[in-house]
Amino acid sequence: MTDTLQISALESEAIYIFREVAAQFERPVLLFSGGKDSITLVRLAQKAFYPAKIPFPLMHIDTGHNFPETIEFRDRLVEELGLELIVRNVQDSIDEGKVKEESGRYSSRNMLQTTTLLDAIEEFKFDACIGGARRDEEKARAKERIFSVRDDFGQWDEKNQRPELFDMLNGQIELGQNVRVFPISNWTELDVWTYIEKENLEIPSIYFSHPRLTFVRDGLIWTASEHVYRDEEEEVKERIVRFRTVGDMSCTAAVASHAATISEVVAEIRDSSISERGARIDDKRSEAAMEKRKQQGYF
């Protein structure tokens, strides 16, 4: 199958999933981080419901330690498209004593997002949360269904999932349950970038090569920021880098790169043998780090 045919088939599948969400659920929401996958979701949702607007809000769980370029892009995109954006902040969960700020060399707010997310789902009574997780990212995510049921505590049971034969998506849930929906579950990182190139989508500048003040720890390149712990002996230097993923800056490392255009990024990914989440330190805390977080309610 050629790239064009493959992308067309993936796009059609995602549009079908979006329309099933709108048909089967009363209060869906699109979880939006400002990253390439959620930007792709917004474009797919636009196509699914054109000429009407996207019929549900976007929601960002903001750690407070996000890259400024991503937040600026998020706000501009929402304004340009006339979309509703809900923002809930991890700092509020910390201030309310619901979660405790981590400290030390590998401290991050990324894991704290779960509590804030679950509180927001309860606050707005969302019954379907749409996100950009893909099966190629990480082995725990490869176990997910497209419609993935969470119990009334927001927890995920990987051993109790519904079959999805012949693309039949079952959205029936009990009171208190909700469903996480993954329209681009079958896409790869390369598929996403190919789609971004095909659709000429704008994405945050940090995805492209740029000079940045950084330091090296454990063989990874980190942003020199007040939000990222740094030992005194870890020297800050300006390096030419880009980011393959744009999560919380305290757990998201850069990669050395001179890819400054989408076509150059696509070429670089074709030659890469490492998943984009290889630069996410939060996935490396244990062998089953992601799976444990998903069981607790993480997206």
Side-chain angles (χ1 to χ4, degrees):
M1 183 181 292
T2 66
D3 285 350
T4 301
L5 289 175
Q6 177 176 317
I7 293 300
S8 179
L10 289 170
E11 179 187 65
S12 295
E13 178 189 54
I15 288 173
Y16 162 72
I17 293 166
F18 268 112
R19 290 173 177 167
E20 284 296 301
V21 170
Q24 296 193 46
F25 297 97
E26 294 183 5
R27 296 186 63 83
V29 65
L30 194 159
L31 299 187
F32 187 79
S33 68
K36 66 184 188 310
D37 297 315
S38 54
I39 293 167
T40 296
L41 287 180
V42 169
R43 173 52 61 88
L44 291 165
Q46 285 181 290
K47 289 192 172 188
F49 304 110
Y50 182 83
K53 286 188 176 181
I54 297 173
F56 38 74
L58 277 54
M59 182 167 71
H60 183 207
I61 303 301
D62 190 344
T63 66
H65 294 174
N66 292 287
F67 293 95
E69 298 97 325
T70 308
I71 299 300
E72 184 277 330
F73 179 88
R74 178 201 72 185
D75 294 342
R76 180 160 47 83
L77 180 69
V78 167
E79 182 177 0
E80 288 175 356
L81 298 182
L83 302 176
E84 177 187 355
L85 173 67
I86 298 167
V87 179
R88 288 296 178 265
N89 299 289
V90 170
Q91 183 63 54
D92 291 337
S93 298
I94 296 170
D95 293 343
E96 293 165 6
K98 294 180 178 180
V99 294
K100 184 178 180 181
E101 183 90 74
E102 295 181 356
S103 61
R105 206 161 190 254
Y106 298 105
S107 59
S108 171
R109 288 187 172 183
N110 203 47
M111 293 183 69
L112 308 186
Q113 293 179 89
T114 298
T115 296
T116 312
L117 171 61
L118 294 179
D119 284 349
I121 292 172
E122 175 62 25
E123 176 186 355
F124 293 97
K125 307 301 180 186
F126 291 130
D127 54 2
C129 299
I130 306 161
R134 308 186 321 269
R135 289 184 176 129
D136 77 317
E137 290 180 279
E138 201 273 341
K139 59 185 180 183
R141 286 182 164 167
K143 299 178 181 180
E144 289 276 19
R145 299 292 191 265
I146 291 173
F147 276 16
S148 182
V149 179
R150 301 305 203 265
D151 66 21
D152 51 0
F153 295 103
Q155 297 174 331
W156 172 67
D157 182 0
E158 75 282 5
K159 296 179 181 178
N160 184 25
Q161 296 200 64
R162 300 168 176 175
E164 290 180 342
L165 305 175
F166 310 110
D167 296 326
M168 298 295 290
L169 302 175
N170 180 1
Q172 293 188 349
I173 55 176
E174 302 294 334
L175 183 65
Q177 292 181 331
N178 66 82
V179 169
R180 307 293 170 86
V181 180
F182 306 107
I184 59 171
S185 184
N186 292 324
W187 298 41
T188 65
E189 181 187 12
L190 183 57
D191 291 331
V192 171
W193 277 101
T194 302
Y195 191 73
I196 288 170
E197 184 175 35
K198 170 181 172 290
E199 295 291 312
N200 194 28
L201 297 180
E202 184 183 357
I203 57 176
S205 59
I206 60 174
Y207 278 113
F208 302 110
S209 174
H210 61 282
R212 198 175 196 91
L213 291 176
T214 60
F215 64 95
V216 175
R217 177 193 297 149
D218 300 331
L220 298 174
I221 303 170
W222 300 97
T223 295
S225 164
E226 62 178 334
H227 301 313
V228 183
Y229 180 92
R230 180 174 62 86
D231 292 328
E232 290 184 3
E233 66 272 16
E234 291 173 331
E235 184 180 1
V236 174
K237 291 183 178 180
E238 185 175 87
R239 295 176 172 85
I240 304 298
V241 300
R242 75 175 192 88
F243 291 85
R244 291 176 69 180
T245 178
V246 294
D248 187 301
M249 68 171 67
S250 62
C251 64
T252 306
V255 294
S257 172
H258 289 281
T261 65
I262 291 178
S263 59
E264 289 173 349
V265 170
V266 168
E268 184 177 272
I269 293 171
R270 287 186 188 277
D271 294 335
S272 177
S273 60
I274 301 173
S275 164
E276 64 198 283
R277 292 194 72 90
R280 292 291 291 271
I281 198 67
D282 50 322
D283 291 349
K284 303 177 186 299
R285 295 191 177 203
S286 74
E287 182 68 19
M290 173 63 81
E291 186 153 331
K292 288 179 179 178
R293 281 182 289 149
K294 288 176 71 63
Q295 290 168 349
Q296 294 166 356
Y298 184 80
F299 200 79

